[in-house]
Each structure stands twice: as structure tokens, then as C-alpha cells.
């Protein structure tokens, strides 16, 4: 049977099971030019919460009654499209469901010879592309920069920090537990880590960056953004990648210390990964090379069961996941 998770209500606060329905139907038949994918794994990303809201951000929101949007990987099990033979592994925006019928337009062939398919949901997928272009292009990273990353133990933040270390930068990250802070310093090679639940952000950031932050890569927003603005170096750059601390509240609090951008002649810029689609192969090749050379470490957190979508998604907003969060359809 074809199983799918459909959005039926706009959530208020954290998403609830009542906001979705798990629907079943017959597996669709393949018409001429179409391809049927059996989905094996689904990417759970912080941006999903914003896609559930009314209105428009950088991408159309999910309509009520529609399958919840998600990046996924799977295998072609039926095909009348010569470009996608049976057995081909693919990735794309296929939704939170067990099967996906497509013309092939938005599917991408993936090579699972040297890595599992799930890597294309993280390290070699949208989060990896976000980290790569966010720090190198938007952040204008230079060798020797002093770099601070919020939400640093997450998929994007952990890769941003490792790319910065490859470029001989000083790197400090913030995380929610001592275990995650130890992972940043002992496994990923960060110079230091701040446990934001145990330390004073303003004081800790200032102690680690006595000459200021050259690049702040922000995945969190709120207090950590204010504290970083207060410690921005001359001509420092801030990359706005996300604001996970405010996704479920529906209330986005603007930065209090924005005038630091004036005094430091700094720059704060938003980053959306879809702007770089034509350059994805460049990033995939470079990240894969770094991984093969042992310069990048990657951690996955895989949960099981399509019907557990809401429960597992909410792990992102309560810091219960450790590594790239992936849902196995099973």
C-alpha cells in the first residue's frame, strides 16, 4: 500500500499528530514517461516547521490536504522513462510518503557505490550544500578568520565548522549539552564549544573572541544572534541560515544589537540554498573528496517508522537528536 503523511491543519506551536493524517491507498500505476520510486529514507529538517505555516517565505508553503514536503531518497521500482531504469537510486523532494510517482523532472540520480543513500539527505544533500555555500560564498570565508557557529552540533553547523577548520580558521560553536560540546572539540576539531544552557552567552563569546568574530554562522537566532552582534569584529560577516529557536513560537524577534553592524562596518545576509542549484555538483565533489580524505566527520541519527513523523520531527526543536536526523520509512 501507498502510505502518505498529509497536512490537515496549520500547527500552532509545536506540530501535533492531529495536524496530520496518515492516509493509505493503492500504489499508483506508471504511465508512459513516468517513474515510480519506493522511498527508503526521509530527511527531517528545521525548515519543515516554516513550510507548514500560512503565507510565503522563500518557498511556497505546503497546502492543506497535500503530502508534507520533504527531501527523500529511494529506488526506482517501476519505470516507463528511459532515463530512470528500475533499480536506480534517486534523491529529490518526494514528500513524507512510501512511494513517489514522477515524470523524472525533479529526481536526481545518486551514486551509492561508496556511501549510503542517506548521505544525500545530509552531507551530500541540501544541508551539505547549505553549509558549503553558506560559509564560503555568503560568509566570504578567508583563511585565519575567527568563526562562531550557533547550533553547531547539527548537520549544517557541524559541516560549516569543519570547512572553516580546513581553511585554517579559529572555530567555536554553541550546543545544548556537554556531550555535544565534547563532540565538537574532540571529534570535529573545533577550537572550543559553548554550552549555551550552562554558560552566559555574552561572556563566553567575548572570552573566546577577544578581537571579535569575523564570521558568525547563525542557525538559531534570538539571544545568540544578539550576543554575536555585540562581539562582531571590524567588517565581520553574519550569515543568517535559520532561526530554530523561534520556529515554533511564530514570533520572530529582531536583533537588539543591530547597530553593531554600523560601528563594525559589518554585513548580515540571508542564505537560501536553492540559489546555488547550478553549482551543487561542485559542492558534492569537494565535500566527498574531503570526506574520503578523512577531513570531515559525519554523524547520522536514524529513527524508524513513517507514522512517527511528527514525533521524530519535533526532536529537532527539543535538541533530542544528535547528528543528521533521518526517518526510515520501513
Amino acid at each position: 500500500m501507498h502510505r502518505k503523511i498529509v497536512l490537515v491543519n496549520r500547527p500552532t506551536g509545536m506540530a501535533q499528530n492531529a495536524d496530520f493524517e496518515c492516509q493509505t491507498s493503492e500504489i499508483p500505476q506508471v504511465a508512459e514517461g513516468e517513474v515510480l520510486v519506493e522511498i527508503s529514507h526521509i530527511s527531517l529538517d528545521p525548515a519543515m516547521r516554516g513550510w507548514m505555516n500560512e503565507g510565503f517565505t522563500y518557498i511556497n508553503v505546503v497546502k492543506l490536504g497535500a503530502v508534507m514536503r520533504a527531501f527523500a531518497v529511494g529506488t526506482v521500482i517501476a519505470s516507463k522513462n528511459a532515463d530512470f531504469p528500475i533499480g536506480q537510486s534517486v534523491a529529490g523532494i518526494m514528500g513524507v510518503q512510501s512511494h513517489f510517482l514522477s515524470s523524472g523532472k525533479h529526481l536526481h540520480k545518486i551514486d551509492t557505490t561508496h556511501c549510503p543513500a542517506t548521505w544525500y539527505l545530509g552531507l551530500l544533500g541540501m544541508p551539505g550544500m547549505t553549509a558549503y555555500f553558506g560559509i564560503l560564498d555568503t560568509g566570504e570565508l578567508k583563511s585565519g578568520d575567527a568563526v562562531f557557529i550557533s547550533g553547531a552540533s547539527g548537520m549544517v553547523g557541524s559541516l560549516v565548522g569543519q570547512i572553516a577548520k580546513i581553511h585554517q580558521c579559529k572555530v567555536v560553536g554553541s550546543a545544548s549539552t556537554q556531550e555535544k560540546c565534547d563532540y565538537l572539540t574532540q571529534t570535529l576539531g573545533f577550537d572550543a564549544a559553548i554550552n549555551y544552557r550552562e554558560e552566559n552567552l555574552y561572556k563566553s563569546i567575548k572570552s573566546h573572541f577577544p578581537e571579535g568574530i569575523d564570521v558568525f554562522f547563525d542557525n538559531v537566532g534570538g539571544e545568540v544572534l544578539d550576543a554575536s552582534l555585540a562581539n562582531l569584529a571590524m567588517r565581520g560577516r553574519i550569515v543568517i541560515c535559520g532561526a530554530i529557536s523561534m520556529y515554533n513560537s511564530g514570533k520572530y524577534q529582531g536583533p537588539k544589537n543591530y547597530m553593531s553592524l554600523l560601528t563594525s562596518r559589518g554585513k548580515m545576509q540571508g542564505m537560501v540554498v536553492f540559489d546555488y542549484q547550478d553549482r551543487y555538483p561542485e559542492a558534492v565533489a569537494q565535500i566527498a573528496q574531503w570526506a574520503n580524505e578523512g577531513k570531515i566527520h559525519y554523524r547520522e541519527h536514524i529513527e524508524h517508522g513513517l507514522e512517527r513523523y511528527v514525533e521524530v520531527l519535533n526532536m529537532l526543536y527539543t535538541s533530542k537528536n544528535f547528528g543528521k536526523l533521518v526517518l526510515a520509512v520501513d
Side-chain angles (χ1 to χ4, degrees):
M1 297 295 290
H2 175 208
R3 295 174 292 148
K4 56 186 178 181
I5 303 298
V6 173
L7 180 68
V8 295
N9 294 306
R10 304 281 179 204
T12 299
M14 297 276 278
Q16 306 294 322
N17 285 326
D19 298 320
F20 297 87
E21 285 183 0
C22 183
Q23 301 178 357
T24 60
S25 61
E26 295 293 327
I27 294 174
Q29 299 297 307
V30 176
E32 192 63 38
E34 291 184 332
V35 56
L36 180 66
V37 179
E38 183 174 58
I39 295 172
S40 62
H41 294 84
I42 294 165
S43 177
L44 299 186
D45 299 294
M48 282 179 157
R49 181 60 188 82
W51 298 343
M52 301 174 194
N53 294 335
E54 193 68 68
F56 179 81
T57 57
Y58 57 88
I59 188 172
N60 290 325
V61 301
V62 178
K63 294 180 180 179
L64 293 180
V67 175
M68 183 60 203
R69 179 186 295 129
F71 289 86
V73 293
T75 304
V76 174
I77 60 169
S79 178
K80 292 184 178 180
N81 184 323
D83 292 333
F84 293 94
I86 292 174
Q88 174 68 54
S89 296
V90 295
I93 301 178
M94 294 188 278
V96 185
Q97 56 186 335
S98 61
H99 297 81
F100 180 65
L101 186 66
S102 170
S103 66
K105 182 178 180 181
H106 298 295
L107 291 180
H108 305 282
K109 297 178 183 178
I110 58 176
D111 181 3
T112 58
T113 306
H114 303 293
C115 68
T118 53
W119 279 33
Y120 289 89
L121 300 178
L123 192 65
L124 302 179
M126 182 188 72
M129 306 300 98
T130 300
Y132 182 89
F133 294 111
I135 190 62
L136 295 177
D137 281 53
T138 309
E140 301 174 4
L141 188 72
K142 301 188 295 292
S143 178
D145 276 342
V147 179
F148 180 48
I149 304 156
S150 64
S153 65
M155 173 62 241
V156 173
S158 62
L159 183 54
V160 166
Q162 292 180 88
I163 293 173
K165 288 305 299 180
I166 290 170
H167 287 78
Q168 292 82 49
C169 296
K170 173 183 177 179
V171 178
V172 179
S174 65
S176 61
T177 67
Q178 192 57 47
E179 181 186 12
K180 291 179 179 180
C181 287
D182 291 342
Y183 171 69
L184 294 179
T185 56
Q186 298 173 16
T187 301
L188 303 188
F190 282 43
D191 295 282
I194 297 171
N195 183 337
Y196 68 82
R197 289 182 174 169
E198 302 290 337
E199 302 177 47
N200 181 292
L201 272 171
Y202 283 83
K203 291 181 179 178
S204 295
I205 292 172
K206 191 169 186 63
S207 68
H208 288 300
F209 297 97
E211 297 181 4
I213 301 167
D214 294 310
V215 184
F216 172 47
F217 196 100
D218 191 19
N219 297 296
V220 174
E223 184 183 4
V224 70
L225 175 56
D226 284 333
S228 299
L229 275 164
N231 289 279
L232 200 61
M234 186 63 67
R235 305 201 183 281
R237 288 88 68 201
I238 296 177
V239 180
I240 301 297
C241 180
I244 195 171
S245 68
M246 296 180 281
Y247 285 164
N248 287 292
S249 70
K251 299 177 181 178
Y252 290 88
Q253 177 183 326
K256 298 175 183 177
N257 295 324
Y258 75 94
M259 285 299 287
S260 294
L261 293 170
L262 187 153
T263 55
S264 66
R265 287 70 154 178
K267 178 166 65 175
M268 184 161 63
Q269 183 175 344
M271 187 274 172
V272 174
V273 69
F274 301 128
D275 294 341
Y276 295 90
Q277 289 187 53
D278 60 337
R279 294 177 57 192
Y280 285 0
E282 165 199 333
V284 169
Q286 181 62 82
I287 293 170
Q289 179 182 329
W290 284 332
N292 290 332
E293 293 171 349
K295 295 179 179 178
I296 285 178
H297 297 274
Y298 178 50
R299 179 174 181 139
E300 290 182 316
H301 182 144
I302 298 179
E303 295 282 336
H304 295 263
L306 186 72
E307 292 78 7
R308 295 180 61 220
Y309 166 70
V310 176
E311 171 197 347
V312 178
L313 174 69
N314 283 337
M315 295 175 70
L316 289 169
Y317 312 111
T318 55
S319 300
K320 290 183 178 179
N321 66 300
F322 193 171
K324 169 57 191 166
L325 189 57
V326 174
L327 183 63
V329 172
D330 293 334

